Amino acid sequence: MPEHAAASRFRLSGLCFLLQILTILLFAVFVRYSPEGSPWRCSQWLNCSWRNQEAGFQHPRFRDVHLQALLGFGLLVAFLGRSGPGSVTISILVVAFAIQWAVLIQGFFYFFLNGKIHMGAQSMVSADFCTAAVLISTGAVLGRVNPVQMLLLTLLGVTLFTLNEYILLDLMGVNDSGGSLTVHTFGAYFGLMVSRILHQPHTDNGKEQQDTGRQPDVFAVVGTICLWIFWPSFTSATTAPDNAEPWAMLNTYFSLAASTLATFVLSPVLSEENTLRVVQIQDATLAGTAVMGMAGEMLVTPFGALIAGFLAGLIPPLGFRFLTPVLRSRLKIQDMCGVHNVHGLPGILGALLGTLLTALATADAYGGRQELVFPLVAPGGRTATDQALCQLYALPVTLLLATLGGCLTG
């Protein structure tokens, strides 16, 4: 109705105005430029390898991560037949607010010194990682919530993401440079729980899984190309420069290739369509990158990256065929973009792979890289087994925070 539409527009306009004024005031009070080369507030016993000093950070890495967050993730949800380009509009809205709010919230946790948040390029990369997790969450509810609700989801999602990241990376000393747990797993299950709470039997029964048949695959093509170009940089952006970074880039690239090939192995068998759609390749590509989030900087070996990527690439077609109907009918979770198959399960697989590689890590195998990849193990404060247990315990912690936070947000 016209009155309802007008009220909805005014609510969105008013909320955007209030949130922007709030962030401007908070930036004016707390945020300052980071002096070049100043050390972050990190203890030697904490895993702060992902927060490098500003002098060692390269602008191309920030550019690649930012483009990945905006183009790669933003276009991933644009294939929905009911939403189409409107999905991109919502994604841009989420990105615009999430980056500002993440700089503030993460600043209080990581970059707060002498009463001020010292913002630099590395803090912007951290904000982009947070934004990526929120965009994954929105994929579970896209088309079922209005922009006002999406902004509120972003507000709480950024806050809870930062809390989970702080617990894992700082308090527990977990290695997760590419975000298998902090980005993919948290983002997926946070969004799925929001979707579960928003379930309405009389309206959701008529809305089946996403309709992709009417929408051209143009957005999926562009999104997939962006994934291939920028995701190796995304995975390696927070690794120790000049050492662990090449491993993360190479492992991610091999995983991408194998996961894409896995789609051509399984999808023709499970799908009723005669031709493979780009959306299916896109899903497998995402799964191949999610599995390398934690293990990418570790000694996966090239053939190990191919195996991990191939296994991750099998998850989306199997999940859409067998798991998604169960989520919808039994658990009443309507996963609009299939984030459970594309991000959640591959993220868990990546966490388990990272745990296994951590347990097998030795100084002889890693050489001088061990201190960079496992900063808490090399000095002798922890054994490889202790570090592996921390990596393993991080999985239930993330799932607990994601589910409880999703319920609260929903």
Side-chain angles (χ1 to χ4, degrees), residues 175-181 184 231 235 239 252 288-297 346 350-351:
N175 291 65
D176 191 25
S177 62
S180 282
L181 284 177
H184 296 279
W231 205 294
T235 305
T239 58
T252 302
T289 56
V291 78
M292 280 294 116
M294 179 181 290
E297 65 175 339

Side-chain angles (χ1 to χ4, degrees), residues 117-133:
I117 297 172
H118 297 279
M119 184 194 72
Q122 188 62 37
S123 60
M124 288 299 297
V125 169
S126 302
D128 278 330
F129 270 67
C130 180
T131 301

Side-chain angles (χ1 to χ4, degrees), residues 165-380:
E165 185 184 56
Y166 178 75
I167 292 173
L168 265 58
L169 301 186
D170 279 22
L171 299 185
M172 298 179 63
V174 172
N175 291 65
D176 191 25
S177 62
S180 282
L181 284 177
T182 55
V183 176
H184 296 279
T185 303
F186 179 86
Y189 289 100
F190 176 79
L192 289 173
M193 289 310 300
V194 174
S195 177
R196 175 63 184 88
I197 299 300
L198 295 180
H199 172 70
Q200 296 177 354
H202 299 294
T203 58
D204 287 351
N205 286 341
K207 295 179 181 179
E208 293 300 321
Q209 189 65 21
Q210 67 264 29
D211 173 22
T212 61
R214 303 172 189 171
Q215 185 72 20
D217 280 342
V218 175
F219 289 117
V221 171
V222 177
T224 304
I225 292 174
C226 288
L227 291 176
W228 272 83
I229 295 174
F230 298 116
W231 205 294
S233 295
F234 186 91
T235 305
S236 63
T238 59
T239 58
D242 302 327
N243 282 282
E245 181 183 3
W247 280 6
M249 296 183 67
L250 292 173
N251 291 334
T252 302
Y253 186 83
F254 287 130
S255 181
L256 275 168
S259 64
T260 301
L261 196 62
T263 306
F264 289 89
V265 173
L266 201 55
S267 291
V269 179
L270 298 177
S271 177
E272 298 178 356
E273 299 178 357
N274 294 327
T275 58
L276 198 66
R277 304 196 66 225
V278 181
V279 170
Q280 296 169 307
I281 302 175
Q282 183 188 70
D283 292 338
T285 302
L286 274 168
T289 56
V291 78
M292 280 294 116
M294 179 181 290
E297 65 175 339
M298 301 178 186
L299 188 58
V300 183
T301 70
F303 79 89
L306 289 174
I307 293 174
F310 186 79
L311 293 177
L314 298 177
I315 293 177
L318 290 172
F320 280 113
R321 179 65 182 270
F322 300 108
L323 294 181
T324 299
V326 175
L327 289 178
R328 187 169 59 244
S329 60
R330 301 289 181 84
L331 301 180
K332 310 302 179 184
I333 297 177
Q334 190 166 8
D335 187 3
M336 301 303 295
C337 294
V339 297
H340 180 249
N341 308 316
V342 177
H343 297 279
L345 292 178
I348 293 176
L349 178 62
L352 296 177
L353 175 61
T355 300
L356 175 63
L357 293 174
T358 302
L360 298 176
T362 62
D364 293 337
Y366 279 80
R369 292 176 183 246
Q370 187 183 28
E371 185 176 355
L372 295 170
V373 178
F374 304 104
L376 298 181
V377 174

